[in-house]
């Protein structure tokens, strides 16, 4: 099995018959997986049955070629080169729970940094759906020692997480282009349910909004997101603070303000 660590996907160019100087970028159809994964057919059926799917280098997934810690693999997804992104799905072909995270950018940049668990070496992919219904897929191979999804969280064995469950901390940073970057952590064990005697327990949804209540981004998180999730989000200037609201799969609520 060939494992490439970067999604090497050249953009194709078609010339207009009417004007040979006019060109438009066209993504590759999803017939041959550039990451050469034996499970791509299963991924296409599971997530995109009946939908139009293209492999597209404009959907960038940045992750380490070799993961030092299978419980905490840093991933940054950026689909900002595409216009009209309505949602982005992140998944790993060889994880026992395929989907890691889904987000709707709303007013934020269609980009998100977070950490995930990997059970074994796998492509980590992001699929961005544009307003025309087309799914644009990018990804990268990550080599991992494994066991990230079956190991218990460190928090599950400590009474501290019960006292700090869903506690939010973070900061808003101003950027040179006038936008802002939010870095936010939520205390939660994010258990997958695969460790013996420990049921699945994870954050299900987060909504970020500005001071006026306008939504900036909606995030759905699944079991493979790492313990105590840390999110990096780029967004337009949102004022002095951002509100984070959500819940986990046991109904425990998240409601906190992150300030500059």
């Amino acid at each position: 099995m060939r494992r490439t660590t970067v999604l090497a996907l050249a953009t194709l160019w078609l010339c207009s018959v009417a004007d040979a100087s006019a060109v438009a970028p066209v993504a590759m159809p999803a017939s041959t997986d550039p990451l050469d994964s034996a499970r791509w057919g299963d991924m296409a059926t599971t997530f995109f049955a009946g939908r139009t799917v293209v492999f597209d280098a404009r959907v960038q997934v940045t992750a380490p070629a070799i993961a030092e810690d299978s419980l905490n693999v840093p991933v940054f997804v950026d689909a900002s080169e595409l216009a009209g992104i309505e949602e982005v799905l992140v998944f790993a072909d060889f994880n026992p729970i395929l989907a890691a995270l889904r987000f709707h950018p709303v007013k934020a940049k269609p980009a998100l940094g977070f950490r995930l668990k990997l059970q074994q070496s796998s492509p980590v992919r992001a699929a961005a759906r544009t307003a025309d219904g087309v799914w644009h897929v990018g990804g990268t191979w990550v080599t991992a020692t494994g066991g990230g999804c079956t190991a218990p969280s460190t928090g599950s064995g400590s009474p501290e997480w019960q006292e700090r469950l869903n506690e939010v901390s973070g900061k808003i940073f101003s950027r040179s282009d006038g936008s802002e970057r939010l870095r936010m952590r939520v205390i939660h064990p994010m258990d997958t349910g695969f460790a013996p005697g420990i049921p699945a327990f994870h954050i299900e949804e987060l909504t970020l909004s500005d001071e006026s209540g306008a939504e900036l981004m909606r995030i759905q998180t699944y079991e493979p997101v790492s313990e105590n999730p840390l999110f990096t989000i780029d967004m337009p200037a949102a004022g002095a603070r951002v509100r984070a609201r959500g819940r986990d799969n046991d109904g425990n609520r998240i409601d906190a303000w992150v300030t500059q």
Side-chain angles (χ1 to χ4, degrees), residues 154-209:
T154 57
S156 62
S158 168
E160 182 183 5
W161 71 261
Q162 299 182 41
E163 301 172 3
R164 301 183 63 197
L165 181 69
N166 289 338
E167 177 183 294
V168 176
S169 61
K171 188 173 179 59
I172 300 170
F173 302 88
S174 297
R175 311 193 74 193
S176 59
D177 61 359
S179 66
E180 294 178 334
R181 168 165 286 183
L182 169 67
R183 297 204 73 195
M184 181 184 74
R185 185 179 75 156
V186 185
I187 299 296
H188 203 286
M190 298 297 291
D191 285 305
T192 62
F194 291 125
I198 302 175
F201 184 41
H202 63 96
I203 298 169
E204 285 190 327
E205 61 182 44
L206 284 169
T207 299
L208 305 176
S209 56

Side-chain angles (χ1 to χ4, degrees), residues 99-187:
L101 178 148
R102 185 189 304 267
F103 69 94
H104 298 76
V106 193
K107 291 185 177 182
K109 183 179 177 180
L112 182 65
F114 69 104
R115 293 174 181 264
L116 64 84
K117 311 181 195 85
L118 284 179
Q119 185 63 16
Q120 59 182 295
S121 299
S122 176
V124 176
R125 306 187 196 253
R129 179 175 60 81
T130 44
D132 58 5
V134 176
W135 288 92
H136 302 256
V137 180
T140 187
W141 265 100
V142 178
T143 299
T145 55
C149 292
T150 51
S153 64
T154 57
S156 62
S158 168
E160 182 183 5
W161 71 261
Q162 299 182 41
E163 301 172 3
R164 301 183 63 197
L165 181 69
N166 289 338
E167 177 183 294
V168 176
S169 61
K171 188 173 179 59
I172 300 170
F173 302 88
S174 297
R175 311 193 74 193
S176 59
D177 61 359
S179 66
E180 294 178 334
R181 168 165 286 183
L182 169 67
R183 297 204 73 195
M184 181 184 74
R185 185 179 75 156
V186 185
I187 299 296

